[in-house]
Amino acid sequence: MAFHTWNQNTVRQIHNAVTPSNDQPNPRVPLSSKHDLDTAVDAARRAFTTVDERKCRIRPFLCDLEINKDALAELLSLEQGKPLSQAKTEIQRTKDLVRNMIEVDIPARN
């Protein structure tokens, strides 16, 4: 699985992480600035207008979690030094939590 920053033009710093369990290098990752965060939050606020629209946009995320669950579990294991079995459990619990959240009926505000 390839990981990319959503806006590479703003990357000023790179973090060189290591796996806590064996001190082996992890892939380098970009560090976001306050500007990057503000831009992402502004984009998110514009993207989601209603609860139903949010639910529709989250459903594909669940599919992506399922498709990429093994690669994500490996990444969690590398980043956090946890056993792969625990990382897989964490991914499954995340999927369950998100699925439950989008099934909740939230009344619209007037």
Side-chain angles (χ1 to χ4, degrees):
M1 175 188 291
F3 295 92
H4 305 280
T5 179
W6 63 274
N7 187 351
Q8 294 182 353
N9 294 332
T10 63
V11 174
R12 304 263 190 273
Q13 291 181 298
I14 300 292
H15 178 67
N16 296 307
V18 296
T19 302
S21 62
N22 61 16
D23 288 329
Q24 293 297 309
N26 273 340
R28 296 166 33 126
V29 294
L31 297 177
S32 297
S33 68
K34 181 180 182 320
H35 173 73
D36 295 331
L37 178 61
D38 291 343
T39 300
V41 169
D42 289 342
R45 286 184 175 140
R46 287 189 311 272
F48 300 122
T49 57
T50 67
V51 171
D52 287 338
E53 184 180 356
R54 290 179 198 153
K55 289 179 179 184
C56 287
R57 291 181 184 228
I58 291 172
R59 284 186 181 93
F61 171 71
L62 279 173
C63 292
D64 288 343
L65 272 178
E66 179 60 33
I67 291 167
N68 296 295
K69 65 183 176 187
D70 292 332
L72 290 168
E74 288 177 27
L75 182 63
L76 282 177
S77 181
L78 286 172
E79 287 181 341
Q80 300 172 6
K82 66 175 62 176
L84 187 57
S85 61
Q86 288 181 8
K88 287 182 177 184
T89 299
E90 185 173 340
I91 297 297
Q92 183 59 50
R93 287 182 177 171
T94 299
K95 288 176 14 188
D96 294 343
L97 176 66
V98 172
R99 187 175 296 106
N100 289 338
M101 287 171 45
I102 63 174
E103 290 175 358
V104 171
D105 187 25
I106 302 173
R109 293 183 188 172
N110 294 332

